[in-house]
Amino acid sequence: MNIQVDLTESDNILEGFIRGEIDAHTAPVLREKLETYQNHQGLKAELDLSNVNYMDSTGLGVFVAFYKSVNSNGGHVKLKGLSARLKRLFDITGLGDIMDIESVGKGGN
């Protein structure tokens, strides 16, 4: 499976739309694209994951690294559109309590 990452930045606001599967094979593509923006001071990032149908721990690691970098530079990261399955992945690792996550309440368990 492939991944499609569309990122648009304007006035220090980053909007992202991610589609496909995030795993050991596709995560480097996502990481590379996010790294372009992670050191911007005060960046406000909103990433839409509503079309991500699978993510493993490699994907979690990419989002955690991006979150930490943006936060350390006074910014904010919001993940939105997560299926119940993806939200649960963040919750069972404790990341759901730390990160700003908006789920859509549909999908797997």
Side-chain angles (χ1 to χ4, degrees):
M1 182 69 181
N2 289 327
I3 187 171
Q4 183 178 348
V5 182
D6 298 316
L7 302 174
T8 306
E9 190 263 334
S10 178
D11 296 327
N12 223 27
I13 298 172
L14 178 67
E15 291 186 25
F17 297 92
I18 302 160
R19 294 169 187 80
E21 296 182 357
I22 306 172
D23 58 22
H25 298 290
T26 61
V29 172
L30 177 60
R31 178 181 296 113
E32 181 180 320
K33 292 196 176 208
L34 291 175
E35 283 177 348
T36 304
Y37 302 97
Q38 70 186 17
N39 294 317
H40 291 198
Q41 289 296 319
L43 181 72
K44 304 295 181 213
E46 190 167 292
L47 305 176
D48 186 328
L49 279 66
S50 59
N51 289 309
V52 173
N53 49 27
Y54 175 82
M55 182 169 62
D56 65 12
S57 61
T58 312
L60 277 178
V62 170
F63 288 113
V64 169
F66 181 67
Y67 169 83
K68 289 170 95 175
S69 292
V70 171
N71 250 19
S72 69
N73 287 299
H76 182 79
V77 176
K78 179 176 185 172
L79 303 179
K80 68 178 193 172
L82 278 71
S83 67
R85 185 179 302 253
L86 288 185
K87 176 71 165 76
R88 185 168 187 271
L89 186 60
F90 281 89
D91 287 344
I92 63 175
T93 58
L95 295 169
D97 295 330
I98 299 167
M99 300 176 78
D100 184 358
I101 298 174
E102 178 185 296
S103 62
V104 293
K106 65 178 183 179
N109 296 331

